[in-house]
Amino acid sequence: QVQLQESGPGLVKPSQTLSLTCAVSGGSITTTWYSWSWIRQPPGKGLEWMGAIAYTGSTYYSPSLKSRTAISRDTSKNQFTLQLSSVTPEDTAVHYCARSGLYTGWAYDYWGQGTRVTVSS
């Protein structure tokens, strides 16, 4: 059973950088054909894919967030990290990490429980 657990500060000031970590257990983030994503849901809105890091270490970003987003990984800790710079109150959202893979047709099969991040001074 794969488990994902997000962690990070719940409050970030405007213009600062939001940083979240997703710790993965029960499976390796380097296992072939899996991709690890960050997805957010602002209050009252739908889910928004932010970006992903593949088992190869290659990264992919939403065009609308690409200039402010960086996803990295620490394979020794089996975790991956999201950094979103220059945040504004519009970046307030519940942030999820999730896994997708070739074997599920790239559908998400495992999700973290989500962590709420509020951007406010």
Side-chain angles (χ1 to χ4, degrees):
Q1 178 83 1
V2 176
Q3 293 184 317
L4 295 87
Q5 178 70 56
E6 304 93 346
S7 63
L11 180 65
V12 181
K13 296 185 184 303
S15 81
Q16 292 187 341
T17 295
L18 177 162
S19 184
L20 297 174
T21 296
C22 181
V24 179
S25 59
S28 172
I29 62 173
T30 61
T31 298
T32 305
W33 303 123
Y34 285 109
S35 181
W36 306 85
S37 290
W38 285 101
I39 299 160
R40 69 180 182 178
Q41 185 169 30
K45 297 184 179 181
L47 295 169
E48 177 185 22
W49 178 79
M50 302 179 72
I53 186 163
Y55 66 97
T56 58
S58 296
T59 52
Y60 307 88
Y61 300 109
S62 166
S64 65
L65 297 172
K66 184 175 183 178
S67 64
R68 300 194 291 130
T69 307
I71 297 175
S72 60
R73 67 181 184 177
D74 185 336
T75 57
S76 67
K77 297 181 179 179
N78 207 39
Q79 62 187 34
F80 59 106
T81 299
L82 168 74
Q83 290 191 309
L84 181 67
S85 62
S86 304
V87 297
T88 71
E90 286 66 42
D91 292 311
T92 294
V94 177
H95 292 72
Y96 300 92
C97 55
R99 187 186 82 165
S100 61
L102 177 66
Y103 309 107
T104 61
W106 302 105
Y108 298 106
D109 57 353
Y110 290 99
W111 293 72
Q113 85 285 357
T115 186
R116 183 178 304 275
V117 179
T118 300
V119 179
S120 175
S121 56

